[in-house]
Amino acid sequence: MRSIFKTAVAVAVLAATPAFAADDEAGNALIKAEKDGLRGLSATRLQNLLVEPEAVGDVKFARSWIDSQPKATGGPHWKCLSEALYFEARGETVKGQFAVAEVIMNRVDSARFPSSVCGVINQGTGRKYQCQFTYTCDGNPEHIAEPRAWERVGKVARAVLDGRAPDLTNGATHYHTTAVRPSWARVYTKTAAIGVHLFYRHTFRTASN
């Protein structure tokens, strides 16, 4: 589409430029050929070709896209987010991994949770099975046994921290897999279902409601 757009613009400019050499046979032949081709298009189609298409986000929810990205690196918060994705969602689809990362970032933005990525992920760590992310308090060592999966989730974490990912969960701050049914899921607002995870937004109550 972009190449057609450029061709159409170029033809329009050349055709409307008086300074174009009338005796330039090669140039005139090119313009005639392009005009003949454009003349066969409907007015609507031609107008669409002359309008630059809107830019869209560059993130694609596919492993091929992830694999095409440069190796990801970062500081402590990148490492925390990468670990959370590895232990919580490495078996998920790429879209599902982005969604889980989004929940963590939504918590960072919420006054109800710690204000940093590592703070959110490690909330409650130290009390066995009383933490927010089970892998941080289940007593098992956090060993990275799948280097390829680690590399991929690191790229997802990098894209999310860089603000490249579109919204997927409509503000979700909680999630669970479809294999379990936590009690809180009955009262929170379900916002999305992606892969093997269901996503929820906390149902806040005030004195007025």
Side-chain angles (χ1 to χ4, degrees):
M1 170 66 82
R2 191 172 296 275
S3 62
I4 297 176
F5 166 79
K6 289 180 178 178
T7 298
V9 170
V11 170
V13 170
L14 287 172
T17 303
F20 188 81
D23 58 351
D24 186 339
E25 295 183 4
N28 287 335
L30 175 61
I31 289 179
K32 182 178 185 303
E34 295 292 353
K35 279 184 175 180
D36 290 341
L38 292 172
R39 197 172 288 119
L41 300 175
S42 68
T44 300
R45 175 61 172 160
L46 183 58
Q47 180 61 36
N48 289 339
L49 291 177
L50 294 174
V51 176
E52 183 78 47
E54 292 184 6
V56 296
D58 68 335
V59 169
K60 294 181 175 59
F61 302 121
R63 282 193 174 182
S64 58
W65 183 85
I66 291 294
D67 290 341
S68 72
Q69 300 304 296
K71 183 177 180 179
T73 59
H77 295 301
W78 169 78
K79 184 178 180 183
C80 284
L81 185 55
S82 298
E83 287 179 349
L85 293 177
Y86 179 86
F87 291 108
E88 293 278 315
R90 70 179 180 276
E92 255 283 15
T93 62
V94 172
K95 187 175 184 178
Q97 291 173 359
F98 271 97
V100 168
E102 183 178 305
V103 167
I104 293 169
M105 300 308 295
N106 287 343
R107 288 190 175 195
V108 172
D109 293 337
S110 171
R112 298 176 63 88
F113 298 93
S115 59
S116 71
V117 174
C118 289
V120 163
I121 292 168
N122 293 308
Q123 186 178 14
T125 299
R127 297 172 296 165
K128 193 167 185 179
Y129 298 120
Q130 297 299 310
C131 53
Q132 295 294 310
F133 295 88
T134 305
Y135 79 91
T136 68
C137 66
D138 60 5
N140 296 320
E142 295 160 18
H143 176 60
I144 306 297
E146 301 175 37
R148 188 68 179 276
W150 170 253
E151 182 179 351
R152 283 172 170 158
V153 297
K155 293 178 181 181
V156 172
R158 184 74 271 160
V160 170
L161 290 172
D162 290 345
R164 296 171 63 190
D167 180 77
L168 294 171
T169 70
N170 193 23
T173 52
H174 295 71
Y175 66 86
H176 67 80
T177 70
T178 53
V180 299
R181 292 186 180 182
S183 58
W184 53 260
R186 295 195 296 270
V187 294
Y188 287 10
T189 301
K190 182 179 175 182
T191 63
I194 301 173
V196 298
H197 286 95
L198 303 179
F199 296 84
Y200 300 81
R201 188 171 57 244
H202 194 287
T203 306
F204 297 101
R205 291 185 178 277
T206 66
S208 62
N209 63 6

